[in-house]
Amino acid sequence: MLVRECNVKFCRRDFFITFFSCAIATFFWFLKQKFAHSTEADVDALVHEKLNGILAKTGKITLDIPEVAENGASVQFTVTVESPMTEQDYVTAIHVFTEGNATPHVASYYLTPFSGKARLTSRFRLARKQHVRVLALMSDGAAYVARREVTVAVGGC
Amino acid sequence: MSEVQGRVRVQRVAYKGEIVEVKTTINHPMENGTRKDKEGNVIPKKYIKYFKCTYNDKEVFRSEWHPSISANPFLVFFLTAIESGNIYFEWIEDTGRVFKKSAEIIVES
């Protein structure tokens, strides 16, 4: 029936139209959110690529990031990896990933035995509340991973 | 925008084998390609992609950056003082521009 029969101002048909248009709008908004930022799966894929078949263990990495970052445009982080940093045993690479930024891969740092200490500090952007993941690759083939959640007051990306 | 210039801080004198802290920064906007200017035009992507540190012709530290690194990239890392000489720092933009800086270190045994 195309002719509006009810006398009430807001009838059932109106309700359905409003309800479904809202639902569709929400659905598209979710899609936009999903594709605008990276997800955990994107980071999983990146980590998998870097690991190249090695099983990553937890531990040895100390990730120092404020739990609540006030300004997402510049968040300072410090990564420390327990390692003697000698010719035989040293950290070859440190990779930093974020699970909710437009570009999930933040940076990769390649160290040598001349580094002396496997520790570095830098600043990154965080778009919203998300997890940060750090992967450390050792010269003996071992890999370590650390994951931390950071709450961001004002996103910056 | 002022000229892009890297700045580095390394201690001048160190003992042989001492672990030296290296502080680096460069004034660069690190445009991630999503920002818009006042007219609504998208500002093209332009960021520093690579950072390299060479100590007496030996590459000791290298890193690869992406647009998630904040503007005016700041980086602190460590080096072992082996011999007196120069430490060269290079920031390479994705457009191919290279920004250079060097620091001198005196190593006492």
Side-chain angles (χ1 to χ4, degrees), chain B residues 39-58:
Chain B
E39 282 83 48
N41 306 312
V42 174
I43 303 169
K45 212 179 214 184
K46 188 177 170 190
Y47 63 98
I48 290 172
K49 214 169 177 183
Y50 300 107
F51 169 77
K52 260 197 278 184
C53 174
T54 320
Y55 183 8
N56 284 350
D57 303 325
K58 199 182 280 169

Side-chain angles (χ1 to χ4, degrees), chain A residues 64-86:
Chain A
D64 193 9
I65 318 177
E67 260 173 46
V68 181
E70 276 178 25
N71 182 9
S74 177
V75 185
Q76 188 157 320
F77 67 94
T78 302
V79 181
T80 315
V81 186
E82 270 176 52
S83 169
M85 293 305 274
T86 54

Side-chain angles (χ1 to χ4, degrees), chain A residues 22-36 128:
Chain A
C22 281
I24 291 164
T26 323
F27 175 70
F28 278 109
W29 182 76
F30 267 115
L31 273 187
K32 187 180 160 270
Q33 287 286 307
K34 199 169 160 52
F35 287 105
R128 55 189 175 146

Side-chain angles (χ1 to χ4, degrees), chain B residues 88-103:
Chain B
Y88 298 96
F89 302 91
E90 254 179 49
W91 290 266
I92 305 158
E93 208 177 51
D94 60 343
T95 54
R97 271 208 298 174
V98 182
F99 309 103
K100 286 179 184 170
K101 191 84 188 170
S102 72

Side-chain angles (χ1 to χ4, degrees), chain A residues 50 73-77 98 101-117 119-126 157, chain B residues 19-20 29-32 34-35 45 58-80 82:
Chain A
K50 296 280 181 212
S74 177
V75 185
Q76 188 157 320
F77 67 94
T98 48
N101 275 6
T103 38
H105 193 173
V106 176
S108 292
Y109 304 94
Y110 301 94
L111 313 179
T112 57
F114 300 102
S115 294
K117 215 193 262 185
R119 182 194 177 105
L120 43 93
T121 304
S122 190
R123 287 173 193 151
F124 57 25
R125 289 177 173 136
L126 292 175
C157 231
Chain B
I19 295 165
V20 176
M30 294 291 279
E31 291 297 348
N32 54 18
T34 56
R35 275 181 358 119
K45 212 179 214 184
K58 199 182 280 169
E59 196 182 276
V60 286
F61 185 87
R62 179 168 65 92
S63 75
E64 182 196 332
W65 296 349
H66 293 270
S68 280
I69 289 281
S70 60
N72 305 331
F74 165 80
L75 177 67
V76 180
F77 61 96
F78 294 85
L79 285 182
T80 314
I82 316 155

